[in-house]
Amino acid sequence: MRAYSGEKLCGKCFQKSIEDKVRATIIKYNMFKPDDDIVVAVSGGKDSVTLLHTLAQIEKEFPKASLSAVTIDEGIKGYRDEAVKFASENCRKLGVKHTVASFKELFNVDLDALVNALKEKDSGRSGGLSPCAYCGVLRRRALNLAARNAKANKLALGHNLDDEVQTILLNIMHGDALRIARVKPVLEGKHPVFVQRVKPFCEVPEKEIAFLGYLKKIQFQSVPCPYASTALRNDIRVMLNRMEEKHAGTKFTVFKSIEKIRPALEAITKQTTLQKCKVCGEPSADQICKPCQMLQKLGVCAR
Ligand code: SF4
Ligand code: ZN
């Protein structure tokens, strides 16, 4: 039973309801055109793998569109190798072309080495950025490069309703309220070389994706990343889940509230002019882009 809507659904109707919800989200936010070249960012975890299965089903109706998948191998020993296997296996079953791009080949360093450099730099002091902060910035760049290489014009991400709402609250708690304007279902490409990112699962709760994966017998990695932060995001996740249990629909309410105020936030958010990064040549708000700044800080030369 869906506490937030009161619906009682059998397995078959539940599956159909998610597929309908995703179709409605795609239409509502104008995510895809019938002839788009879509690449799905598949990490090997439940959200991205289930998204791949759902989009493979939907895109069958659009013969002019193409669907492929990309996995970023950050270089996390004992973790990412298994996730890549799950991603490849699911792509093989669905007949979807799959490519893997690694931090090592793109940035000349893997995440494990970066974390070691980070520890040395920080010399045990706290207050530095977490591995996830570095990983997130580099993965966004890696995904854009990989999507561009795949000649895709849309990059589909498995972010779900919980992810979106957590990020909104995280921005507020970090005192960066204007960043909320950037948490949205379709991120416009501010520059021709940015492949547009879309989030077809943005209105599907995490629990429902897990249940859909279970019903469809989808295989995915369930072991968490060894660097997964136990900090603020996790506390927000726990708090939101408690709220949802007591007050069904809380997550949707937060999501919809932000939808209402986003235009006002966007209107007061300063537009940045992009220039070419002096190191790598990618578009950047500053003379040196964020990924290059991070790599330089840790004494790693970007390629
Ligand atoms: Fe990267 Fe953090 Fe995710 Fe691990 S948990 S893959 S370090 S962002
Ligand atoms: Zn750069």
Side-chain angles (χ1 to χ4, degrees):
M1 171 162 162
R2 276 194 177 122
Y4 61 83
S5 67
E7 290 163 284
K8 288 180 185 165
L9 304 172
C10 68
K12 211 171 149 202
C13 291
F14 173 80
Q15 287 191 43
K16 186 176 178 307
S17 76
I18 301 284
E19 210 181 285
D20 289 348
K21 169 65 84 67
V22 174
R23 281 177 208 275
T25 303
I26 291 171
I27 294 167
K28 180 170 154 195
Y29 296 105
N30 200 13
M31 285 183 178
F32 298 131
K33 295 201 170 57
D35 58 351
D36 270 344
D37 294 314
I38 305 162
V39 64
V40 186
V42 180
S43 66
K46 72 173 184 319
D47 300 319
S48 60
V49 173
T50 309
L51 177 65
L52 181 71
H53 280 257
T54 307
L55 289 184
Q57 179 68 28
I58 293 174
E59 290 304 313
K60 270 184 200 161
E61 295 154 32
F62 300 93
K64 285 190 182 160
S66 73
L67 189 73
S68 62
V70 63
T71 302
I72 303 302
D73 179 358
E74 300 91 348
I76 305 171
K77 203 162 183 277
Y79 168 70
R80 190 48 86 202
D81 298 349
E82 196 196 13
V84 172
K85 265 190 224 151
F86 278 109
S88 302
E89 187 56 19
N90 277 284
C91 289
R92 193 189 56 74
K93 276 186 194 158
L94 292 166
V96 169
K97 188 177 170 219
H98 182 222
T99 49
V100 181
S102 70
F103 275 14
K104 184 76 184 164
E105 67 195 40
L106 294 171
F107 308 119
N108 208 18
V109 66
D110 58 31
L111 193 69
D112 285 338
L114 222 134
V115 172
N116 284 336
L118 195 61
K119 277 184 197 153
E120 274 173 34
K121 194 96 186 158
D122 201 35
S123 328
R125 280 178 289 124
S126 57
L129 289 176
S130 69
C132 292
Y134 285 84
C135 182
V137 168
L138 295 180
R139 199 178 42 221
R140 268 195 295 283
R141 167 62 56 81
L143 277 172
N144 192 59
L145 293 172
R148 234 159 64 195
N149 286 342
K151 304 210 179 334
N153 66 330
K154 294 286 162 67
L155 172 62
L157 307 173
H159 294 203
N160 58 47
L161 176 71
D162 294 53
D163 294 326
E164 295 297 274
V165 176
Q166 286 160 19
T167 307
I168 288 163
L169 295 189
L170 206 52
N171 284 328
I172 292 174
M173 289 183 192
H174 278 152
D176 206 353
L178 290 181
R179 270 185 89 95
I180 291 172
R182 294 196 228 158
V183 187
K184 52 186 183 178
V186 175
L187 295 142
E188 65 281 316
K190 286 177 288 177
H191 190 280
V193 303
F194 287 141
V195 180
Q196 189 169 48
R197 292 158 183 252
V198 297
K199 304 169 185 170
F201 269 169
C202 65
E203 294 185 289
V204 184
E206 183 179 5
K207 254 171 135 177
E208 297 196 8
I209 296 172
F211 191 49
L212 179 67
Y214 166 77
L215 288 175
K216 283 178 162 271
K217 298 188 174 47
I218 296 173
Q219 303 267 307
F220 47 76
Q221 193 187 39
S222 51
V223 180
C225 169
Y227 302 126
S229 161
T230 51
L232 197 51
R233 182 178 282 271
N234 212 39
D235 293 339
I236 292 173
R237 175 184 294 121
V238 173
M239 185 265 288
L240 277 168
N241 286 343
R242 274 203 201 122
M243 291 286 292
E244 187 68 36
E245 223 166 89
K246 279 184 88 171
H247 310 281
T250 296
K251 292 173 190 172
F252 278 112
T253 307
V254 176
F255 184 82
K256 284 178 186 156
S257 300
I258 297 303
E259 293 272 275
K260 283 183 195 153
I261 61 168
R262 187 179 298 116
L265 287 175
E266 282 178 332
I268 55 168
T269 311
K270 216 173 58 192
Q271 292 292 327
T272 43
T273 323
L274 297 175
Q275 51 189 303
K276 257 190 175 187
C277 167
K278 279 189 166 171
V279 180
C280 68
E282 289 293 312
S284 164
D286 302 307
Q287 287 197 341
I288 298 181
C289 72
K290 194 92 188 243
C292 288
Q293 281 181 31
M294 285 183 151
L295 294 170
Q296 283 184 345
K297 203 171 134 202
L298 292 176
V300 179
C301 274
R303 272 181 177 164

